[in-house]
Amino acid sequence: MSGDLPDYYFRVRENGAFAYRVDTQNRQRRIEMDQIAVINIRNGQIKPHGDRDLSEEDMAAIQQWMDDRAELLAWRDIDDIHRAVDYLNTTAHWAQSKASDEQLEAVTDALLLAMHDLRTVLVRKKTDRLLKDD
């Protein structure tokens, strides 16, 4: 393990994280993590843990983590969409070249409904963008 640990650790959870201050400067030279806050990334809320007051340094580290996390999640969202395009292409190839009649029967209705829903949303959004540009 590296001797240069960060000053803060963030345990990610579904809608944010628990923020910890990392301490290695103790007599036993153990890594101690002291929970300092609970972060909700969706609404931007930062709740100090217990009755503690967060320092400016704590708040700056938490805010930086929130900014970095939001950027990462946005990147992951668009990456997932690019993967979905690949999956659609792979699915089309599978349906055309490999799928049995039974397999197609099992998935056709669900795929058609999902693609129809997606197409409807995409066409509506594209129309909204085009009308907004005019």
Side-chain angles (χ1 to χ4, degrees):
M1 183 183 321
S2 170
D4 294 331
L5 292 174
D7 293 331
Y8 296 90
Y9 171 74
F10 298 89
R11 182 193 303 155
V12 176
R13 59 191 190 123
E14 184 177 333
N15 61 346
F18 296 108
Y20 294 86
R21 189 177 301 118
V22 177
D23 177 22
T24 57
Q25 303 302 318
N26 53 61
R27 288 180 15 171
Q28 294 83 18
R29 309 234 352 119
R30 292 183 180 162
I31 298 171
E32 293 182 5
M33 296 192 319
D34 183 26
Q35 185 177 351
I36 60 172
V38 177
I39 303 164
N40 185 320
I41 196 123
R42 290 189 186 138
N43 64 15
Q45 194 172 52
I46 301 168
K47 291 183 183 177
H49 182 69
D51 59 353
R52 82 174 58 248
D53 292 321
L54 298 175
S55 69
E56 286 184 26
E57 182 183 348
D58 294 339
M59 289 300 293
I62 290 169
Q63 190 59 56
Q64 183 63 54
W65 179 87
M66 291 174 70
D67 293 345
D68 292 346
R69 184 71 179 171
E71 187 177 320
L72 174 66
L73 293 175
W75 178 84
R76 283 183 181 170
D77 280 347
I78 197 69
D79 185 57
D80 286 347
I81 300 309
H82 287 290
R83 288 174 192 260
V85 172
D86 289 347
Y87 290 139
L88 284 171
N89 287 318
T90 302
T91 302
H93 180 70
W94 168 82
Q96 185 176 22
S97 63
K98 297 178 184 176
S100 69
D101 289 344
E102 294 81 23
Q103 290 172 320
L104 286 172
E105 189 60 36
V107 299
T108 296
D109 290 344
L111 279 170
L112 287 172
L113 288 170
M115 290 186 313
H116 175 73
D117 182 34
L118 176 59
R119 183 184 185 284
T120 301
V121 170
L122 291 175
V123 167
R124 185 177 65 244
K125 292 290 205 172
K126 177 113 181 172
T127 302
D128 290 348
R129 287 192 314 274
L130 290 173
L131 291 175
K132 188 171 85 173
D133 290 342
D134 286 349

